[in-house]
Amino acid sequence: MKLAGPAYRQWEDAVVLISIEEGRRRVLAAVHALDSEDVPLPEAHGRVLAEDLTSAVDVPPFDSSAMDGYALVAGPAAELEVIGESRAGHPFERALAPGLAVRISTGAAVPGGATAVIPVERTSGANGDRVEVEETPEGANIRRAGEDVRAGDVALARGAVLGPAELGVAASVGRAELRCARRPRVALLVTGDELVQPGRALGPGQIYTSNGFALAAQIEDAGAELVLSDTVPDTAEATHAALARALETADVLLASGGVSVGPHDHMKGALRELGVEEHFWGVSLRPGKPTWFGVRERILVFGLPGNPVSAMVTFQLFARPALAALQGADPAAHRASATLDEAVRRNPRREEAVRVRLRHADDGLHAVTTGEQGSHMLTSMLGADALALIAPGDGEVRAGESVEVQFL
Ligand code: AMP
Ligand code: MG
């Protein structure tokens, strides 16, 4: 049960709601970066680099050909004597002189003495021993050693999130292991007597629990490790016991539901009993006002609202930056601005996180809403690329105006 009517109003007026920005500031102020560990390259996808990765080698390691053709000494059109071949992985061992050419494949080492490569399309009359070549400028079609990465250069900076390109670059400089931040260990508790696991039959008044699944996927996408996941009934004892267990194992504890002011909301009381110090409760945000954040030693505790959209939105706005910062990544990396392609009504009191689809245009990003925006309408998250943050006020933000967006 929730407070209704005047009682709810009283609560709303009594609680000092902080802004999203202030909430994030308090979250990030509580973050202590995690330690690091060596991770084999094939397991490093999605991890955050905890070292400046300095290359020990030049990439490419040697001057190599950009074309299939002939290595030669640059100069005017001529007929040259072909004295051998340089293939990828099998260099030609001798040096070239004017009047001589070496057949060469893309990626093969350019022989000593050669100053250019002529592509096969610009040659004629090749008969094994001789070839006629067109005029060739100095340096043509040679990829220089170190052109991509120079030995001694920082190829990837600390804090980089290791995606496909980063893993490729790390491999290209010959690294088999990378020093990465430890993945944050996250415990996830969803609370509510009404919750039933998908696959079972619903009884009267019951609903399927969706938060556990959506949040688990968000946790994984944030590079964190889900170490405990549990559904907790609405009793003080069960809430206390589940929180106590989660606090044993986690760097971050996420709970959804039960954090409001109804008689069956036990989260805040149990957290207080367990010595978790409140850093904020209540954000001037829609959806997601009843968001709680606290800290015990270095453990970050998020009490997210139970409403499925609110839970996902507040994860994104508060927990995800924390998970990035714990790993040494940029917590503000997923923000940009976009032009609204439709008018959006402002909420008079609270900042609104509107689910939007984005499209790239010549003048930057454009956003349209995903439709109905109720905090219980989980389908409003479908197809959403970002949250558009709409400042509170009267009237509407007009089409064509620019808003801050946070990518999902
Ligand atoms: P609460 O914050 O516990 O008051 O919950 C707010 C609303 O979210 C209620 O309608 C709950 O039934 C719903 N809710 C809470 N937890 C979940 C969940 N895990 N999955 C889906 N809906 C939930
Ligand atoms: Mg509940």
Side-chain angles (χ1 to χ4, degrees), residues 67-71 81-94 96 101-106 108-111 128:
M67 294 290 222
D68 290 330
Y70 293 85
E81 183 187 346
V82 179
I83 59 165
E85 183 171 25
S86 180
R87 289 189 293 140
H90 304 279
F92 179 75
E93 301 294 357
R94 285 175 290 140
L96 267 183
V102 162
R103 258 194 321 281
I104 194 163
S105 344
T106 304
V110 174

Side-chain angles (χ1 to χ4, degrees), residues 314-338:
T314 51
F315 176 93
Q316 203 64 26
L317 295 177
F318 303 107
R320 181 167 172 169
L323 293 172
L326 282 166
Q327 297 174 83
D330 177 5
H334 302 281
R335 293 152 84 173
S337 56

Side-chain angles (χ1 to χ4, degrees), residues 327-358:
Q327 297 174 83
D330 177 5
H334 302 281
R335 293 152 84 173
S337 56
T339 305
L340 275 177
D341 278 348
E342 67 183 281
V344 174
R345 180 152 296 286
R346 288 184 195 275
N347 185 288
R349 292 158 69 106
R350 288 188 262 151
E351 196 165 344
E352 185 126 3
V354 175
R355 280 75 77 201
V356 294
R357 253 191 300 280
L358 295 176

Side-chain angles (χ1 to χ4, degrees), residues 9-324:
R9 268 267 161 265
Q10 236 174 20
W11 170 69
E12 173 146 59
D13 292 341
V15 170
V16 180
L17 300 180
I18 61 169
S19 67
I20 298 173
E21 213 44 57
E22 174 62 14
R24 275 187 182 139
R25 197 191 61 72
R26 292 190 197 179
V27 168
L28 293 176
V31 169
H32 296 271
L34 297 173
D35 46 2
S36 60
E37 61 193 6
D38 288 325
V39 179
L41 192 57
E43 290 160 33
H45 190 192
R47 301 292 294 265
V48 179
L49 197 62
E51 59 171 333
D52 282 332
L53 195 158
T54 304
S55 180
V57 295
D58 279 339
V59 182
F62 46 86
D63 288 358
S64 65
S65 177
M67 294 290 222
D68 290 330
Y70 293 85
L72 42 69
V73 178
E79 186 181 314
L80 305 175
E81 183 187 346
V82 179
I83 59 165
E85 183 171 25
S86 180
R87 289 189 293 140
H90 304 279
F92 179 75
E93 301 294 357
R94 285 175 290 140
L96 267 183
L100 305 178
V102 162
R103 258 194 321 281
I104 194 163
S105 344
T106 304
V110 174
T115 60
V117 167
I118 187 161
V120 73
E121 304 84 68
R122 298 189 47 221
T123 67
S124 57
N127 67 1
D129 290 341
R130 304 198 72 78
V131 64
E132 286 165 40
V133 300
E134 295 175 16
E135 180 180 353
T136 317
E138 186 88 24
N141 302 306
I142 294 179
R143 301 167 175 163
R144 295 295 174 191
E147 216 166 58
D148 193 4
V149 181
R150 237 170 239 302
D153 279 359
V154 173
L156 295 170
R158 172 194 292 267
V161 179
L162 299 170
E166 287 75 13
L167 295 177
V169 167
S172 79
V173 304
R175 287 289 295 268
E177 276 193 342
L178 303 175
R179 195 80 191 161
C180 294
R182 182 165 68 71
R183 295 174 74 192
R185 297 162 57 83
V186 179
L188 175 59
L189 302 177
V190 298
T191 71
D193 282 350
E194 73 278 32
L195 303 178
V196 172
Q197 294 297 321
R200 305 239 175 99
L202 287 178
Q206 294 185 323
I207 62 168
Y208 290 120
T209 172
S210 57
N211 290 352
F213 299 92
L215 288 168
Q218 287 181 294
I219 289 164
E220 188 186 326
D221 283 354
E225 184 186 359
L226 188 63
V227 293
L228 183 159
S229 173
D230 211 352
T231 304
V232 186
D234 285 322
T235 67
E237 300 70 34
T239 306
H240 186 104
L243 286 172
R245 190 154 19 91
L247 286 165
E248 294 288 302
T249 60
D251 301 306
V252 176
L253 196 171
L254 287 173
S256 91
V259 77
S260 227
V261 289
H264 307 294
D265 291 329
H266 302 289
M267 196 55 72
K268 288 175 65 207
L271 287 167
R272 198 178 319 111
E273 286 164 19
L274 287 161
V276 184
E277 188 196 335
E278 178 178 306
H279 285 214
F280 68 76
W281 182 50
V283 181
S284 181
L285 162 65
R286 209 180 89 127
K289 181 173 69 169
T291 300
W292 191 96
F293 172 67
V295 178
R296 190 176 92 174
E297 284 151 28
R298 292 195 167 191
I299 307 173
L300 309 179
V301 181
F302 294 88
L304 306 181
N307 271 313
V309 176
S310 313
M312 290 189 75
V313 164
T314 51
F315 176 93
Q316 203 64 26
L317 295 177
F318 303 107
R320 181 167 172 169
L323 293 172

